[in-house]
Coordinates of all heavy atoms in Angstrom, one line a residue:
M1 N -26.6 25.2 17.9 CA -25.4 25.1 18.9 C -24.4 24.2 18.2 O -24.8 23.1 17.7 CB -25.8 24.5 20.2 CG -24.8 24.4 21.2 SD -25.5 23.9 22.8 CE -24.2 24.3 23.8
T2 N -23.2 24.6 18.1 CA -22.1 23.7 17.6 C -21.6 22.8 18.5 O -21.5 23.1 19.7 CB -21.0 24.7 17.0 OG1 -20.4 25.4 18.1 CG2 -21.4 25.5 15.9
K3 N -21.3 21.6 18.1 CA -20.7 20.6 19.1 C -19.3 20.7 19.1 O -18.6 20.8 18.2 CB -21.1 19.2 18.5 CG -20.8 18.1 19.4 CD -21.4 16.8 18.9 CE -20.9 15.6 19.8 NZ -21.3 14.4 19.2
H4 N -18.7 20.6 20.3 CA -17.2 20.7 20.5 C -16.6 19.4 20.1 O -17.0 18.3 20.5 CB -16.9 21.0 22.0 CG -15.5 21.3 22.2 ND1 -14.5 20.3 22.4 CD2 -14.9 22.5 22.2 CE1 -13.3 20.8 22.6 NE2 -13.6 22.1 22.5
P5 N -15.7 19.5 19.2 CA -15.1 18.2 18.7 C -14.3 17.4 19.7 O -14.0 16.2 19.4 CB -14.3 18.7 17.5 CG -13.9 20.1 17.8 CD -15.0 20.7 18.6
G6 N -13.9 18.0 20.7 CA -13.0 17.2 21.6 C -11.6 17.8 21.8 O -11.3 18.9 21.1
S7 N -10.7 17.0 22.3 CA -9.3 17.5 22.5 C -8.6 17.4 21.2 O -9.0 16.8 20.4 CB -8.8 16.7 23.6 OG -8.5 15.4 23.2
V8 N -7.5 18.1 21.3 CA -6.6 18.1 20.1 C -6.1 16.7 19.9 O -5.9 16.3 18.7 CB -5.4 19.2 20.3 CG1 -4.3 19.0 19.2 CG2 -5.9 20.5 20.4
E9 N -5.8 16.0 21.0 CA -5.3 14.6 20.7 C -6.3 13.7 20.1 O -5.9 12.9 19.3 CB -5.0 14.0 22.2 CG -3.7 14.7 22.9 CD -4.1 15.9 23.6 OE1 -5.3 16.2 23.8 OE2 -3.1 16.7 23.9
N10 N -7.5 13.9 20.4 CA -8.6 13.1 19.8 C -8.7 13.4 18.3 O -8.9 12.5 17.4 CB -10.0 13.3 20.5 CG -10.1 12.7 21.8 OD1 -9.2 11.8 22.1 ND2 -11.0 13.1 22.7
L11 N -8.6 14.7 17.9 CA -8.7 15.1 16.6 C -7.4 14.6 15.8 O -7.6 14.1 14.6 CB -8.6 16.7 16.5 CG -9.9 17.4 16.9 CD1 -9.7 18.8 16.9 CD2 -11.0 17.0 16.0
Q12 N -6.3 14.6 16.4 CA -5.1 14.0 15.7 C -5.2 12.6 15.5 O -4.9 12.1 14.5 CB -3.8 14.3 16.5 CG -3.4 15.8 16.5 CD -2.3 16.2 17.4 OE1 -2.0 15.5 18.4 NE2 -1.6 17.3 17.1
Q13 N -5.8 11.8 16.5 CA -5.9 10.4 16.4 C -6.9 10.1 15.3 O -6.7 9.2 14.4 CB -6.4 9.8 17.8 CG -6.7 8.3 17.7 CD -7.2 7.7 18.9 OE1 -7.4 8.5 20.0 NE2 -7.3 6.5 19.0
T14 N -8.0 10.8 15.2 CA -9.0 10.6 14.2 C -8.4 10.9 12.8 O -8.5 10.1 11.9 CB -10.2 11.5 14.5 OG1 -10.8 11.3 15.7 CG2 -11.3 11.3 13.3
A15 N -7.6 11.9 12.6 CA -6.9 12.3 11.4 C -6.0 11.1 11.0 O -5.9 10.7 9.9 CB -6.2 13.7 11.5
T16 N -5.2 10.7 12.0 CA -4.3 9.6 11.7 C -5.1 8.3 11.2 O -4.7 7.6 10.2 CB -3.5 9.3 12.9 OG1 -2.8 10.4 13.3 CG2 -2.5 8.1 12.7
E17 N -6.1 8.0 11.9 CA -6.9 6.8 11.5 C -7.4 6.9 10.1 O -7.4 6.0 9.3 CB -8.0 6.6 12.4 CG -7.5 6.1 13.9 CD -8.6 6.2 14.9 OE1 -9.7 6.5 14.6 OE2 -8.3 5.8 16.0
V18 N -7.9 8.1 9.7 CA -8.6 8.3 8.4 C -7.4 8.2 7.3 O -7.6 7.5 6.4 CB -9.2 9.6 8.3 CG1 -9.6 9.9 6.9 CG2 -10.5 9.7 9.2
T19 N -6.3 8.8 7.6 CA -5.2 8.8 6.7 C -4.6 7.4 6.5 O -4.4 7.0 5.4 CB -4.0 9.7 7.2 OG1 -4.6 11.0 7.3 CG2 -2.8 9.7 6.3
L20 N -4.5 6.7 7.6 CA -4.0 5.3 7.5 C -5.0 4.4 6.7 O -4.6 3.6 5.9 CB -3.7 4.7 8.9 CG -3.2 3.2 9.1 CD1 -1.8 3.1 8.3 CD2 -3.0 2.8 10.4
G21 N -6.3 4.6 7.0 CA -7.3 3.8 6.4 C -7.3 4.1 4.8 O -7.4 3.2 4.0
D22 N -7.0 5.3 4.6 CA -7.0 5.8 3.0 C -5.7 5.3 2.4 O -5.8 5.1 1.1 CB -7.1 7.3 3.0 CG -8.3 7.9 3.4 OD1 -9.4 7.1 3.4 OD2 -8.4 9.0 3.7
D23 N -4.7 5.0 3.1 CA -3.4 4.6 2.7 C -3.3 3.1 2.5 O -2.4 2.6 1.8 CB -2.4 5.1 3.5 CG -0.9 5.1 2.8 OD1 -0.9 5.3 1.5 OD2 0.0 5.0 3.6
L24 N -4.2 2.3 3.1 CA -4.1 0.9 3.2 C -4.8 0.1 2.0 O -6.0 0.4 1.7 CB -4.7 0.4 4.5 CG -4.5 -1.2 4.8 CD1 -3.0 -1.5 4.9 CD2 -5.3 -1.5 6.0
L25 N -4.1 -0.7 1.4 CA -4.7 -1.6 0.4 C -4.8 -3.0 1.0 O -3.8 -3.6 1.5 CB -3.8 -1.7 -0.8 CG -3.6 -0.4 -1.6 CD1 -2.6 -0.4 -2.7 CD2 -4.9 0.0 -2.3
H26 N -5.9 -3.5 1.1 CA -6.1 -4.9 1.6 C -6.5 -6.0 0.6 O -7.7 -5.9 0.0 CB -7.4 -4.6 2.7 CG -7.6 -5.8 3.5 ND1 -8.5 -6.7 3.4 CD2 -6.9 -6.1 4.7 CE1 -8.5 -7.6 4.4 NE2 -7.5 -7.3 5.2
G27 N -5.5 -6.8 0.4 CA -5.9 -7.9 -0.5 C -5.1 -7.7 -1.9 O -4.9 -6.6 -2.3
A28 N -4.8 -8.7 -2.6 CA -4.2 -8.8 -3.9 C -5.0 -8.0 -4.8 O -4.4 -7.3 -5.8 CB -3.8 -10.2 -4.4
D29 N -6.3 -8.1 -4.9 CA -7.1 -7.4 -5.9 C -6.8 -6.0 -5.7 O -6.8 -5.2 -6.8 CB -8.6 -7.8 -5.7 CG -8.9 -9.2 -6.2 OD1 -8.1 -9.8 -6.9 OD2 -10.1 -9.6 -6.0
A30 N -7.0 -5.4 -4.5 CA -6.9 -3.9 -4.4 C -5.5 -3.5 -4.7 O -5.3 -2.4 -5.3 CB -7.1 -3.7 -2.8
I31 N -4.4 -4.2 -4.4 CA -3.1 -4.0 -4.8 C -3.0 -3.9 -6.3 O -2.4 -3.0 -6.9 CB -2.1 -4.8 -4.1 CG1 -2.2 -4.7 -2.6 CG2 -0.7 -4.5 -4.6 CD1 -1.4 -5.7 -1.8
A32 N -3.5 -4.9 -7.0 CA -3.5 -5.0 -8.4 C -4.1 -3.9 -9.0 O -3.7 -3.3 -10.0 CB -4.0 -6.3 -9.0
R33 N -5.3 -3.4 -8.5 CA -6.1 -2.3 -9.1 C -5.2 -1.0 -9.0 O -5.1 -0.2 -9.9 CB -7.5 -2.1 -8.4 CG -8.6 -2.9 -9.0 CD -9.9 -2.6 -8.5 NE -10.0 -2.7 -7.0 CZ -10.3 -3.9 -6.5 NH1 -10.6 -5.0 -7.1 NH2 -10.5 -3.8 -5.2
F34 N -4.6 -0.8 -7.8 CA -3.8 0.4 -7.5 C -2.5 0.4 -8.5 O -2.2 1.4 -9.1 CB -3.4 0.5 -6.0 CG -2.6 1.6 -5.8 CD1 -3.1 2.9 -5.6 CD2 -1.2 1.5 -5.5 CE1 -2.4 4.0 -5.3 CE2 -0.5 2.6 -5.1 CZ -1.1 3.9 -5.1
V35 N -1.8 -0.7 -8.6 CA -0.5 -0.7 -9.2 C -0.7 -1.0 -10.7 O -0.1 -0.3 -11.6 CB 0.4 -1.8 -8.7 CG1 1.7 -1.9 -9.5 CG2 0.7 -1.5 -7.2
F36 N -1.6 -1.8 -11.2 CA -1.8 -2.2 -12.6 C -3.0 -1.7 -13.1 O -3.2 -1.8 -14.5 CB -1.7 -3.7 -12.7 CG -0.4 -4.3 -12.2 CD1 -0.3 -5.1 -11.1 CD2 0.9 -4.1 -12.9 CE1 0.9 -5.6 -10.6 CE2 2.1 -4.6 -12.4 CZ 2.1 -5.3 -11.3
G37 N -4.0 -1.1 -12.4 CA -5.2 -0.7 -13.0 C -6.3 -1.6 -13.2 O -7.4 -1.3 -13.5
D38 N -6.1 -2.9 -12.7 CA -7.2 -3.9 -12.9 C -6.9 -5.1 -11.9 O -5.7 -5.5 -11.9 CB -7.1 -4.5 -14.3 CG -8.5 -5.2 -14.7 OD1 -9.0 -5.8 -13.8 OD2 -8.8 -5.0 -15.9
A39 N -7.9 -5.6 -11.3 CA -7.8 -6.7 -10.3 C -7.3 -8.0 -11.0 O -6.9 -8.9 -10.4 CB -9.1 -6.9 -9.6
K40 N -7.5 -8.0 -12.4 CA -7.2 -9.4 -13.1 C -5.6 -9.6 -13.0 O -5.3 -10.7 -13.3 CB -7.7 -9.3 -14.5 CG -6.9 -8.4 -15.4 CD -7.4 -8.4 -16.7 CE -6.6 -7.5 -17.7 NZ -7.1 -7.6 -19.1
H41 N -4.8 -8.7 -12.6 CA -3.3 -8.8 -12.5 C -3.0 -9.1 -11.1 O -1.8 -9.1 -10.7 CB -2.7 -7.4 -12.9 CG -3.0 -7.0 -14.4 ND1 -2.4 -7.7 -15.3 CD2 -3.7 -6.1 -14.8 CE1 -2.8 -7.2 -16.4 NE2 -3.6 -6.1 -16.2
R42 N -3.9 -9.8 -10.3 CA -3.5 -10.2 -9.0 C -2.3 -11.2 -8.9 O -1.6 -11.3 -7.9 CB -4.7 -10.6 -8.2 CG -5.3 -11.9 -8.6 CD -6.6 -12.2 -7.8 NE -7.5 -13.0 -8.5 CZ -8.4 -12.6 -9.4 NH1 -8.5 -11.3 -9.5 NH2 -9.2 -13.4 -10.0
R43 N -2.3 -12.1 -10.0 CA -1.2 -13.0 -10.0 C 0.1 -12.3 -10.0 O 1.1 -12.9 -9.4 CB -1.3 -14.0 -11.2 CG -2.5 -14.9 -11.3 CD -2.6 -15.9 -10.0 NE -1.3 -16.6 -9.8 CZ -1.0 -17.1 -8.7 NH1 -1.8 -17.0 -7.6 NH2 0.2 -17.7 -8.5
K44 N 0.3 -11.2 -10.6 CA 1.5 -10.5 -10.6 C 1.9 -10.0 -9.2 O 3.1 -9.9 -8.9 CB 1.4 -9.2 -11.5 CG 1.4 -9.5 -13.0 CD 1.3 -8.3 -13.8 CE 1.0 -8.5 -15.3 NZ 0.8 -7.4 -16.1
V45 N 0.8 -9.6 -8.5 CA 1.0 -9.3 -7.1 C 1.5 -10.3 -6.2 O 2.4 -10.2 -5.5 CB -0.3 -8.7 -6.5 CG1 -0.2 -8.3 -5.0 CG2 -0.8 -7.4 -7.3
Y46 N 0.9 -11.5 -6.5 CA 1.5 -12.7 -5.7 C 2.9 -13.0 -6.1 O 3.7 -13.4 -5.1 CB 0.5 -14.0 -6.0 CG -0.8 -13.9 -5.4 CD1 -2.0 -14.2 -6.3 CD2 -1.1 -13.6 -4.2 CE1 -3.3 -14.1 -5.8 CE2 -2.3 -13.5 -3.6 CZ -3.4 -13.8 -4.5 OH -4.7 -13.7 -4.0
Y47 N 3.2 -12.8 -7.3 CA 4.6 -13.1 -7.7 C 5.6 -12.1 -7.0 O 6.6 -12.4 -6.5 CB 4.8 -13.1 -9.2 CG 6.2 -13.1 -9.7 CD1 7.0 -14.2 -9.6 CD2 6.8 -11.9 -10.1 CE1 8.3 -14.3 -10.0 CE2 8.1 -11.9 -10.5 CZ 8.9 -13.1 -10.4 OH 10.3 -13.1 -10.9
L48 N 5.1 -10.8 -7.2 CA 6.0 -9.7 -6.6 C 6.1 -9.8 -5.1 O 7.2 -9.2 -4.6 CB 5.5 -8.3 -7.1 CG 5.7 -8.1 -8.6 CD1 4.9 -6.8 -9.0 CD2 7.1 -7.9 -8.9
T49 N 5.2 -10.3 -4.5 CA 5.2 -10.4 -3.0 C 5.8 -11.7 -2.5 O 6.0 -11.9 -1.3 CB 3.8 -10.1 -2.4 OG1 3.0 -11.1 -2.9 CG2 3.3 -8.7 -2.6
G50 N 6.1 -12.6 -3.4 CA 6.6 -14.0 -3.1 C 8.0 -14.2 -3.6 O 8.9 -14.0 -2.9
E51 N 8.1 -14.6 -4.8 CA 9.4 -15.1 -5.3 C 10.2 -14.1 -6.3 O 11.3 -14.5 -6.6 CB 9.1 -16.4 -6.2 CG 8.2 -16.2 -7.2 CD 7.6 -17.4 -7.8 OE1 7.0 -18.2 -7.1 OE2 7.8 -17.8 -9.0
A52 N 9.7 -12.9 -6.5 CA 10.3 -12.0 -7.3 C 11.7 -11.5 -6.7 O 11.7 -11.3 -5.4 CB 9.5 -10.8 -7.6
P53 N 12.8 -11.4 -7.4 CA 14.0 -11.0 -6.8 C 14.0 -9.6 -6.1 O 14.6 -9.4 -5.1 CB 15.0 -11.0 -8.0 CG 14.3 -11.6 -9.1 CD 12.9 -11.8 -8.8
R54 N 13.3 -8.7 -6.8 CA 13.2 -7.3 -6.2 C 11.8 -7.1 -5.8 O 11.0 -6.3 -6.5 CB 13.7 -6.2 -7.2 CG 15.2 -6.3 -7.5 CD 15.6 -5.3 -8.5 NE 15.3 -3.9 -8.0 CZ 16.1 -3.2 -7.1 NH1 17.2 -3.8 -6.7 NH2 15.8 -2.0 -6.8
G55 N 11.4 -7.8 -4.7 CA 10.0 -7.9 -4.4 C 9.3 -6.7 -4.0 O 10.0 -5.7 -3.5
M56 N 8.0 -6.7 -4.2 CA 7.2 -5.5 -3.8 C 7.1 -5.4 -2.2 O 6.8 -6.5 -1.6 CB 5.7 -5.8 -4.3 CG 4.7 -4.8 -4.0 SD 3.0 -5.2 -4.8 CE 3.4 -4.8 -6.5
P57 N 7.1 -4.3 -1.7 CA 6.9 -4.2 -0.1 C 5.5 -4.5 0.2 O 4.5 -3.9 -0.5 CB 7.2 -2.7 0.1 CG 7.1 -2.0 -1.2 CD 7.3 -2.9 -2.2
H58 N 5.3 -5.3 1.2 CA 4.0 -5.7 1.7 C 4.1 -6.2 3.1 O 5.1 -6.3 3.6 CB 3.4 -6.8 0.7 CG 4.2 -8.1 0.8 ND1 5.4 -8.3 0.3 CD2 3.8 -9.2 1.4 CE1 5.8 -9.5 0.7 NE2 4.8 -10.1 1.3
F59 N 3.0 -6.5 3.6 CA 2.9 -7.2 4.9 C 1.6 -8.0 4.9 O 0.8 -7.9 4.0 CB 2.9 -6.2 6.1 CG 1.7 -5.1 6.1 CD1 0.7 -5.4 6.8 CD2 1.9 -4.0 5.3 CE1 -0.4 -4.5 6.9 CE2 0.9 -3.1 5.3 CZ -0.2 -3.3 6.0
K60 N 1.4 -8.8 5.9 CA 0.3 -9.7 5.9 C -0.6 -9.4 7.2 O 0.0 -9.2 8.2 CB 0.6 -11.2 5.9 CG 1.1 -11.5 4.5 CD 1.1 -12.9 4.4 CE 1.4 -13.4 2.9 NZ 1.3 -14.8 2.7
M61 N -1.9 -9.4 7.0 CA -2.8 -9.4 8.1 C -3.4 -10.8 8.1 O -4.3 -11.0 7.2 CB -3.8 -8.3 8.0 CG -3.3 -6.9 8.2 SD -4.7 -5.8 8.0 CE -4.0 -4.4 8.7
G62 N -3.0 -11.6 8.9 CA -3.4 -13.0 8.9 C -2.8 -13.6 7.6 O -1.5 -13.6 7.3
S63 N -3.7 -14.0 6.7 CA -3.2 -14.6 5.4 C -3.4 -13.6 4.2 O -3.2 -14.0 3.1 CB -4.0 -16.0 5.2 OG -5.3 -15.7 5.0
V64 N -3.9 -12.5 4.5 CA -4.2 -11.5 3.5 C -2.9 -10.6 3.2 O -2.4 -10.0 4.2 CB -5.5 -10.6 3.9 CG1 -5.8 -9.7 2.8 CG2 -6.6 -11.5 4.2
I65 N -2.7 -10.4 1.9 CA -1.5 -9.5 1.6 C -2.1 -8.1 1.7 O -3.2 -7.8 1.1 CB -1.1 -9.8 0.1 CG1 -0.6 -11.2 -0.1 CG2 0.0 -8.8 -0.3 CD1 -0.4 -11.6 -1.5
C66 N -1.3 -7.1 2.4 CA -1.6 -5.8 2.4 C -0.5 -4.9 2.1 O 0.7 -5.3 2.1 CB -2.1 -5.5 3.9 SG -3.5 -6.4 4.4
A67 N -0.7 -3.7 1.7 CA 0.3 -2.8 1.4 C -0.2 -1.3 1.6 O -1.4 -1.1 1.5 CB 0.9 -2.9 0.0
R68 N 0.8 -0.4 1.8 CA 0.5 1.0 1.9 C 0.6 1.6 0.5 O 1.6 1.4 -0.2 CB 1.3 1.7 2.9 CG 1.0 1.4 4.2 CD 1.9 2.2 5.1 NE 1.7 1.9 6.5 CZ 1.5 2.8 7.5 NH1 1.9 4.1 7.2 NH2 1.3 2.6 8.7
K69 N -0.4 2.4 0.0 CA -0.2 3.1 -1.2 C 1.1 3.9 -1.3 O 1.9 3.9 -2.2 CB -1.4 4.0 -1.4 CG -2.7 3.3 -1.6 CD -3.8 4.3 -1.8 CE -5.2 3.7 -1.8 NZ -6.3 4.5 -2.0
S70 N 1.3 4.7 -0.2 CA 2.5 5.6 -0.1 C 3.8 4.7 -0.2 O 4.8 5.2 -0.9 CB 2.5 6.4 1.2 OG 2.5 5.5 2.3
T71 N 4.0 3.6 0.4 CA 5.1 2.7 0.3 C 5.2 2.2 -1.1 O 6.3 2.2 -1.6 CB 5.0 1.6 1.3 OG1 4.8 2.0 2.6 CG2 6.2 0.7 1.3
L72 N 4.2 1.8 -1.7 CA 4.2 1.3 -3.2 C 4.6 2.4 -4.2 O 5.5 2.1 -4.9 CB 3.0 0.8 -3.5 CG 2.5 -0.6 -2.9 CD1 1.1 -1.0 -3.4 CD2 3.4 -1.7 -3.1
L73 N 4.2 3.7 -3.8 CA 4.6 4.7 -4.8 C 6.1 5.0 -4.6 O 6.8 5.2 -5.6 CB 3.8 6.0 -4.4 CG 2.3 5.9 -4.9 CD1 1.6 7.1 -4.3 CD2 2.2 5.8 -6.4
N74 N 6.7 5.0 -3.4 CA 8.0 5.1 -3.1 C 8.8 4.0 -3.8 O 9.9 4.2 -4.3 CB 8.4 5.1 -1.6 CG 7.9 6.4 -1.0 OD1 7.8 7.5 -1.7 ND2 7.6 6.5 0.2
W75 N 8.4 2.8 -3.6 CA 9.0 1.6 -4.2 C 9.1 1.7 -5.7 O 10.1 1.5 -6.4 CB 8.3 0.4 -3.8 CG 8.8 -0.9 -4.5 CD1 10.0 -1.6 -4.1 CD2 8.2 -1.7 -5.4 NE1 10.1 -2.6 -4.9 CE2 9.0 -2.8 -5.7 CE3 7.0 -1.6 -6.1 CZ2 8.8 -3.7 -6.7 CZ3 6.6 -2.6 -7.1 CH2 7.5 -3.7 -7.3
I76 N 8.0 2.1 -6.4 CA 8.0 2.3 -7.8 C 9.0 3.4 -8.3 O 9.8 3.3 -9.2 CB 6.5 2.7 -8.3 CG1 5.6 1.5 -8.1 CG2 6.6 3.1 -9.7 CD1 4.2 1.8 -8.2
A77 N 9.0 4.5 -7.5 CA 10.0 5.5 -7.8 C 11.4 5.0 -7.7 O 12.3 5.4 -8.5 CB 9.8 6.7 -6.9
Q78 N 11.8 4.2 -6.7 CA 13.0 3.6 -6.6 C 13.4 2.6 -7.7 O 14.5 2.5 -8.3 CB 13.1 2.7 -5.3 CG 13.2 3.5 -4.0 CD 13.2 2.7 -2.8 OE1 12.9 1.5 -2.8 NE2 13.4 3.3 -1.6
Q79 N 12.3 1.9 -8.2 CA 12.5 1.0 -9.4 C 12.8 1.8 -10.7 O 13.7 1.5 -11.5 CB 11.2 0.3 -9.6 CG 10.8 -0.7 -8.6 CD 11.9 -1.7 -8.1 OE1 12.5 -2.3 -9.0 NE2 12.2 -1.7 -6.9
E80 N 12.3 3.0 -10.8 CA 12.5 3.9 -11.9 C 14.0 4.4 -11.9 O 14.6 4.6 -12.9 CB 11.6 5.1 -11.8 CG 10.2 4.7 -12.1 CD 9.2 5.9 -11.9 OE1 9.5 6.9 -11.3 OE2 8.1 5.8 -12.5
R81 N 14.5 4.6 -10.7 CA 15.9 5.0 -10.6 C 17.1 3.9 -10.6 O 18.2 4.2 -10.8 CB 16.1 5.8 -9.3 CG 15.4 7.2 -9.2 CD 15.7 7.9 -8.0 NE 15.4 7.3 -6.8 CZ 14.3 7.4 -6.1 NH1 13.3 8.2 -6.5 NH2 14.1 6.8 -5.0
F82 N 16.6 2.7 -10.5 CA 17.4 1.6 -10.4 C 18.2 1.3 -11.8 O 17.5 1.3 -12.8 CB 16.6 0.3 -10.0 CG 17.5 -1.0 -10.0 CD1 18.4 -1.2 -9.1 CD2 17.3 -1.9 -11.0 CE1 19.2 -2.3 -9.1 CE2 18.1 -3.0 -11.1 CZ 19.0 -3.3 -10.1
T83 N 19.4 1.1 -11.7 CA 20.3 0.8 -12.8 C 20.8 -0.6 -12.6 O 21.5 -0.8 -11.6 CB 21.4 1.8 -12.9 OG1 20.8 3.1 -13.1 CG2 22.3 1.5 -14.3
P84 N 20.5 -1.6 -13.5 CA 21.1 -2.9 -13.3 C 22.7 -2.9 -13.1 O 23.3 -2.2 -13.9 CB 20.7 -3.6 -14.6 CG 19.4 -3.0 -15.1 CD 19.8 -1.4 -14.7
G85 N 23.2 -3.7 -12.3 CA 24.5 -3.8 -12.1 C 25.1 -2.9 -10.9 O 26.2 -2.9 -10.7
E86 N 24.2 -2.1 -10.3 CA 24.6 -1.3 -9.1 C 24.8 -2.2 -8.0 O 24.2 -3.1 -7.6 CB 23.5 -0.2 -8.8 CG 23.5 0.8 -9.9 CD 22.6 2.0 -9.4 OE1 21.7 1.8 -8.5 OE2 22.6 2.9 -10.1

């Protein structure tokens, strides 16, 4: 017997939670691995989320730096299109 998954609203909520969880980077190490390929570059993350003139998009959960993968990819694409002096 197959189990009924529930209402459409419950399915949409579950899909959103999975998507958000997959999109979230929690901590400078995770962000460094995603952007630079290695957690040893976490100091760059601290710089880009702190004092850099064109800072990296991020938010904090308590004292932990977090970012969305999708937001970082968009930010990187904007950096590629940026022309100094604009």
Side-chain angles (χ1 to χ4, degrees):
M1 179 175 197
T2 59
K3 186 177 178 183
H4 189 273
S7 69
V8 172
E9 291 82 15
N10 288 342
L11 289 174
Q12 289 173 338
Q13 180 181 4
T14 302
T16 301
E17 289 170 357
V18 170
T19 303
L20 182 60
D22 291 340
D23 195 34
L24 184 65
L25 295 167
H26 191 259
D29 285 351
I31 296 169
R33 275 191 299 277
F34 180 73
V35 176
F36 301 110
D38 196 329
K40 71 180 180 181
H41 297 288
R42 71 182 151 272
R43 293 300 312 155
K44 291 180 187 177
V45 172
Y46 292 131
Y47 171 74
L48 289 169
T49 58
E51 57 196 60
R54 297 182 56 84
M56 176 185 288
H58 69 287
F59 60 96
K60 289 197 173 186
M61 289 183 162
S63 62
V64 179
I65 299 170
C66 299
R68 288 183 180 219
K69 292 176 186 177
S70 57
T71 303
L72 291 176
L73 291 172
N74 288 332
W75 176 72
I76 291 167
Q78 289 174 350
Q79 299 304 304
E80 292 172 340
R81 290 189 300 268
F82 176 72
T83 304
E86 287 187 347

